Amino acid sequence: MDPHSQWCHNRRCRAYGRIGEGHIVVIHSQKERRYRCKRCGRTFSETTDTVLYRIHKPKWLVVAVVTLLAHGCPVQAIVAAFELDERTVARWQRESGAQCKRVHEHLIEAGRVALLQVQADELRIKGVGAVYWLASALEVKSRLWLGGSISEHRDRELIRTLLIRVRACGPIEHILLVTDGLASYASQALHVFRKPLRNGK
Ligand SMILES: [Zn+2]
């Protein structure tokens, strides 16, 4: 157990989500693997806010199922192979996805990525009874995935949401924008990346 890699999970606490700042989080119980926040006094488990919180299945099984889902394995195959309830698999997928989103926001969208060259593209995805568009962006030199956005329409909202995510990843000074013809990139980049110069009027 390492209190330095933990943070307070109480959203009302000033230490919420702040990792490695002094000795705010201490070990509460080695046996129950619980930590305690010195600022608000709340205790929390090692697995709070993760997919492993209060599960009644072995940890390896959750990790295996989430890995298979991430590689596109059909849910029905997982249900059949591990004799799991479909709702359990759906819950693990939902909760691990939410955790991944928080990790991504904390590490990548924290403004520290060197954005030398960014590539963005849209994928057409067929869902059950609907078609969706996934727009995503990556930094070319590091191959780091910067984030994505999903919409039923390939429109300016889709591109705007993506560019706002890109902007959060790192500092942007001068931009050369090249597009294959989707006009939304040019129009939304002007909205998202410009800095207004106030003239006092
Ligand atoms: Zn706290």
Side-chain angles (χ1 to χ4, degrees):
M1 289 178 79
D2 175 18
H4 293 281
S5 64
Q6 298 292 323
W7 59 87
C8 181
H9 289 261
N10 173 11
R11 282 174 173 75
R12 290 187 181 164
C13 175
R14 270 180 55 212
Y16 170 71
R18 285 156 67 171
I19 193 167
E21 287 184 24
H23 302 278
I24 296 170
V25 173
V26 292
I27 292 171
H28 177 67
S29 161
Q30 192 81 246
K31 189 167 153 247
E32 294 173 36
R33 303 194 75 79
R34 290 186 76 81
Y35 294 95
R36 180 169 55 81
C37 172
K38 285 208 293 192
R39 196 158 269 162
C40 67
R42 287 273 188 94
T43 68
F44 52 90
S45 144
E46 191 175 44
T47 56
T48 297
D49 284 345
T50 78
V51 67
L52 299 173
Y53 185 60
R54 285 185 177 164
I55 51 152
H56 303 291
K57 302 275 184 195
K59 184 181 163 185
W60 70 262
L61 180 59
V62 181
V63 174
V65 166
V66 172
T67 307
L68 287 166
L69 286 169
H71 285 264
C73 181
V75 172
Q76 289 309 327
I78 293 170
V79 167
F82 297 110
E83 297 181 350
L84 289 166
D85 191 305
E86 203 172 324
R87 288 165 298 183
T88 304
V89 177
R91 193 178 74 243
W92 292 354
Q93 183 173 31
R94 198 170 55 241
E95 289 177 2
S96 55
Q99 187 188 343
C100 287
K101 184 166 179 278
R102 286 195 296 272
V103 170
H104 186 85
E105 286 166 356
H106 184 76
L107 293 178
I108 310 298
E109 293 182 16
R112 294 191 300 263
V113 180
L115 298 173
L116 301 175
Q117 186 185 344
V118 176
Q119 261 179 18
D121 208 353
E122 315 89 51
L123 279 174
R124 188 176 180 273
I125 297 164
K126 278 195 81 173
V128 181
V131 169
Y132 299 97
W133 286 93
L134 166 68
S136 64
L138 64 80
E139 206 289 313
V140 175
K141 190 157 181 261
S142 59
R143 311 298 298 167
L144 182 68
W145 188 70
L146 301 173
S149 61
I150 293 177
S151 169
E152 283 183 38
H153 306 286
R154 189 186 183 209
D155 58 6
R156 62 184 180 195
E157 273 309 305
L158 177 77
I159 304 304
R160 190 188 182 100
T161 310
L162 177 69
L163 294 182
I164 288 172
R165 284 195 175 277
V166 171
R167 187 183 63 187
C169 293
I172 292 163
E173 288 180 6
H174 304 289
I175 300 175
L176 171 67
L177 185 83
V178 182
T179 159
D180 63 357
L182 186 61
S184 296
Y185 280 107
S187 65
Q188 296 312 304
L190 272 175
H191 279 291
V192 173
F193 297 125
R194 71 175 174 179
K195 282 187 204 128
L197 288 173
R198 308 279 176 209
N199 62 4
K201 285 182 187 170

